[in-house]
Amino acid sequence: MTAAPRTPAAPARPAPPAPPVLTLSGVGHVYRDGHRARTVLQHVDLDFERGVFYSVVGPSGSGKTTLLSLASGLDSPTRGTIRFDGRDLADLGLGRYRNRHAATIFQQYNLLTYLTAVQNVTTAMEITGARPATGSRRSRALELLERVGIDREAARSRVLRLSGGQQQRVAIARALACDVDILFADEPTGSLDEETAAGIVAIFKELAHEQNRCVVVVTHNQALAAESDRVLTLRRGRVSTTRRR
Ligand SMILES: Nc1ncnc2c1ncn2[C@@H]1O[C@H](COP(=O)(O)OP(=O)(O)OP(=O)(O)O)[C@@H](O)[C@H]1O
Ligand SMILES: [Mg+2]
């Protein structure tokens, strides 16, 4: 029996690029203080993709926190549009976007200091409706706190009794507990020793590369920026992107 002639395999077509999870188009931002106006962002066009770990760098005062607060839906830009999965944030609703799709680790932590560390994490899970795949919210919160180096004793302490570095790690665990598409972090390793910071960066990489989330981290730390896939540099109100991977 002669074998039927084989039809040559069609050349594999590259998969179409996944649509960006978040798009900033012509975004500008001006702070007004009485008669004075300060333009912080001039014109920013940016696409953020799932599965990518971004760092945001730039001199102090260049607008990094401002960019994060717009992209995370805490504030609205004075010009331009921001879309999550193609939907304008203004239509989706900023509260809904923040609760369901984006979590933020703030530069000043913004923890509920009179509650314990574990209560801070479970409260965020209750507010955002995050449910662990197995076990209770409390057991998931304790697991995440342990992951960022907070032991059981510290987990049961009121936040105001914890050190700056411990508070920063509670803020990280709180953001990790919310099952979101995008994680924003503003100087998340500023108060941490090198070893703990390296552990946190490893978690960010896992979230992006293994869980296909988008991770956006503002930092002054060059070593952290060097670990990211793309570096966004803010200067004079504009952003330039360097692709590292
Ligand atoms: N709520 C506000 N009202 C008025 N001006 C503001 C406000 N927030 C920030 N600014 C101004 O906008 C500019 C950018 O501030 P932003 O906090 O975004 O900078 P940054 O790059 O995060 O700085 P840092 O590295 O020091 O954290 C600064 O000049 C700041 O004074
Ligand atoms: Mg800042």
Side-chain angles (χ1 to χ4, degrees):
M1 202 169 89
T2 49
R6 273 206 207 156
T7 38
R13 257 198 232 157
V21 63
L22 193 73
T23 306
L24 278 65
S25 311
V27 165
H29 201 64
V30 179
Y31 286 114
R32 292 190 194 284
D33 184 9
H35 294 297
R36 290 177 46 193
R38 174 161 167 61
T39 302
V40 178
L41 299 177
Q42 297 269 5
H43 185 101
V44 177
D45 290 323
L46 269 179
D47 281 343
F48 289 97
E49 293 168 27
R50 288 188 166 85
V52 179
F53 171 23
Y54 298 85
S55 60
V56 182
V57 301
S60 182
S62 58
K64 302 180 298 295
T65 296
T66 302
L67 180 71
L68 226 62
S69 63
L70 302 177
S72 64
L74 274 172
D75 202 355
S76 298
T78 46
R79 195 155 42 80
T81 51
I82 303 182
R83 289 193 178 83
F84 169 79
D85 271 347
R87 280 189 72 186
D88 194 324
L89 288 194
D91 298 333
L92 181 63
L94 296 186
R96 188 181 156 109
Y97 170 62
R98 285 200 309 269
N99 274 344
R100 302 210 183 152
H101 305 293
T104 304
I105 300 162
F106 295 97
Q107 198 165 12
Q108 310 296 340
Y109 320 144
N110 292 13
L111 295 168
L112 302 165
T113 53
Y114 52 89
L115 296 183
T116 65
V118 72
Q119 284 169 336
N120 267 271
V121 180
T122 53
T123 302
M125 292 169 92
E126 282 158 20
I127 292 171
T128 59
R131 289 191 180 282
T134 55
S136 65
R137 283 179 169 142
R138 187 178 165 81
S139 61
R140 173 76 177 143
L142 286 167
E143 182 190 315
L144 287 168
L145 285 163
E146 197 176 324
R147 202 148 173 231
V148 296
I150 298 291
D151 63 24
R152 289 290 160 107
E153 193 187 333
R156 292 194 190 103
S157 302
R158 280 176 196 244
V159 161
L160 52 85
R161 303 248 180 271
L162 300 179
S163 72
Q166 286 174 317
Q167 292 190 25
Q168 187 151 40
R169 282 177 279 163
V170 175
I172 293 168
R174 180 178 62 174
L176 297 178
C178 304
D179 192 20
V180 293
D181 304 275
I182 314 177
L183 175 68
F184 296 99
D186 204 345
E187 285 287 353
T189 59
S191 306
L192 304 181
D193 61 81
E194 255 177 54
E195 195 183 328
T196 312
I200 300 299
V201 171
I203 295 174
F204 291 153
K205 282 185 171 177
E206 182 191 318
L207 288 171
H209 301 154
E210 286 166 38
Q211 298 184 25
N212 202 34
R213 297 175 207 254
C214 173
V215 179
V216 185
V217 178
V218 166
T219 187
H220 283 290
N221 181 334
Q222 289 302 323
L224 195 162
E227 296 278 329
S228 68
D229 302 322
R230 289 178 213 169
V231 184
L232 310 177
T233 306
L234 260 164
R235 199 161 282 123
R236 288 186 278 282
R238 291 178 187 272
V239 177
S240 58
T241 306
T242 311
R243 209 178 244 267
R244 301 183 56 86
R245 281 172 201 95

